Amino acid sequence: MMKITMTAAAQDFLRTHVQPDTVLLLTLDDGSNRYSTLGGSCAIGDKFQFVALTEKDPAYAIPVENDVGIQLWTNADTELYLNNGLTLDRVFNQLALRDDTGILDSAVGLITYSAEEKSKLDLKKEMQTLGTRIC
């Protein structure tokens, strides 16, 4: 089972910004999934985000054990980029994700959707409006 350790600063941030019954996803933010608003070859495997949902997404079926008791899930595509020693910290007002290989992302985002809201989004239209954010 995948496990993530969270520093006290990261735990405080998540407790403040994530409701106890929220389903939280750890996913890539590289244009490879429906929650991503960034993309392109320069983002592959080095941009991550947490997505807070009101209900579980069946595409994210891999549980991530954590020391906060949050319902945290990921998928196989994201898991490819995560190694042993996965740790979340809060540094310079940003969430930072690292593992035994080093820093994976020093500015991990947190976005919130209800499942209904995200299912109604037109990803293609959303991606077209992002323009310069996509490389």
Side-chain angles (χ1 to χ4, degrees):
M1 175 180 275
M2 182 178 294
K3 181 179 179 175
I4 188 169
T5 301
M6 299 183 191
T7 66
Q11 289 181 30
D12 289 344
F13 177 85
L14 291 176
R15 283 189 188 112
T16 301
H17 292 88
V18 177
Q19 298 299 316
D21 58 345
T22 297
V23 173
L24 198 62
L25 308 179
L26 172 57
T27 186
L28 293 164
D29 192 9
D30 62 2
S32 66
N33 62 75
R34 70 187 204 152
Y35 300 107
S36 179
T37 56
L38 297 175
S41 60
C42 65
I44 294 173
D46 75 345
K47 302 230 182 288
F48 295 86
Q49 66 181 341
F50 287 100
V51 178
L53 300 175
T54 55
E55 52 190 73
K56 193 170 178 217
D57 182 336
Y60 291 80
I62 300 171
V64 181
E65 183 182 332
N66 62 85
D67 41 6
V68 183
I70 292 175
Q71 297 179 64
L72 182 57
W73 302 88
T74 195
N75 64 6
D77 294 338
T78 304
E79 187 179 39
L80 288 172
Y81 297 96
L82 306 172
N83 293 299
N84 291 328
L86 195 60
T87 303
L88 184 69
D89 197 359
R90 183 133 167 95
V91 181
F92 301 120
N93 247 1
Q94 304 255 11
L95 290 174
L97 185 66
R98 68 177 186 269
D99 64 16
D100 288 345
T101 65
I103 294 176
L104 301 173
D105 188 348
S106 61
V108 178
L110 171 64
I111 57 174
T112 303
Y113 293 113
S114 71
E116 185 177 344
E117 285 174 332
K118 192 57 183 177
S119 67
K120 291 181 179 178
L121 289 177
D122 177 356
L123 184 59
K124 182 177 179 184
K125 187 181 226 180
E126 186 179 343
M127 294 297 277
Q128 289 171 339
T129 63
L130 293 175
T132 60
R133 291 181 65 192
I134 299 172
C135 54

